[in-house]
Amino acid sequence: MNINYKINTKVTAEQVADLFLRSGINRPANNLPRIKKMIDNANLTITAWSDNYLVGIARALTDFCYCCYLSDLAVDKKYQHKGIGKKLIEKVSKEITKESMLLLLSAPAAMDYYPKIKFEKVENGFIINRK
């Protein structure tokens, strides 16, 4: 399988919404204007492509020197368990450099995944949930 990774390449709201649905991630895929805002306001997006077909995305908000919030990590279910998610995270880490911490909120179903790829669980966080 030949997967190409691209940094900050243009993707449409339709492509990302479709990927979210195919990946199983819980995102507002039926709200294309909101998906478009999510894409437009991220300052680091790494995508994975099989030919011209979007199969994975890592969408992040970062200052590139202290912290990076990985807001979305989604891989098409047909392409999961092939190292694509891990590779997307490696590419995010390379872009933000070792100066930045990388943090994320995990879906309950993915809690066992992140420690396998060297994330440490933290207990010192707080959240105000969206409405």
Side-chain angles (χ1 to χ4, degrees), residues 83-95:
I84 294 170
K86 182 177 180 180
K87 188 70 157 181
L88 287 165
I89 290 170
E90 287 172 4
K91 291 195 172 288
V92 168
S93 295
K94 183 177 178 187
E95 289 298 310

Side-chain angles (χ1 to χ4, degrees), residues 10-90:
K10 284 285 190 186
V11 289
T12 67
E14 291 83 4
Q15 287 173 308
V16 174
D18 182 55
L19 173 62
F20 286 164
L21 291 171
R22 289 183 281 116
S23 73
I25 195 171
N26 184 16
R27 295 294 184 270
N30 61 343
N31 186 339
L32 292 178
R34 191 170 185 189
I35 296 290
K36 183 175 180 344
K37 278 184 174 178
M38 291 165 61
I39 297 163
D40 290 347
N41 290 301
N43 58 346
L44 178 59
T45 303
I46 309 219
T47 49
W49 302 82
S50 177
D51 295 318
N52 291 322
Y53 186 64
L54 181 64
V55 298
I57 191 167
R59 189 180 67 85
L61 308 167
T62 184
D63 57 22
F64 294 97
C65 68
Y66 189 73
C67 65
C68 176
Y69 172 60
L70 182 59
S71 182
D72 298 317
L73 179 66
V75 176
D76 184 319
K77 286 181 184 176
K78 293 178 185 173
Y79 290 81
Q80 290 178 5
H81 308 288
K82 298 179 185 320
I84 294 170
K86 182 177 180 180
K87 188 70 157 181
L88 287 165
I89 290 170
E90 287 172 4

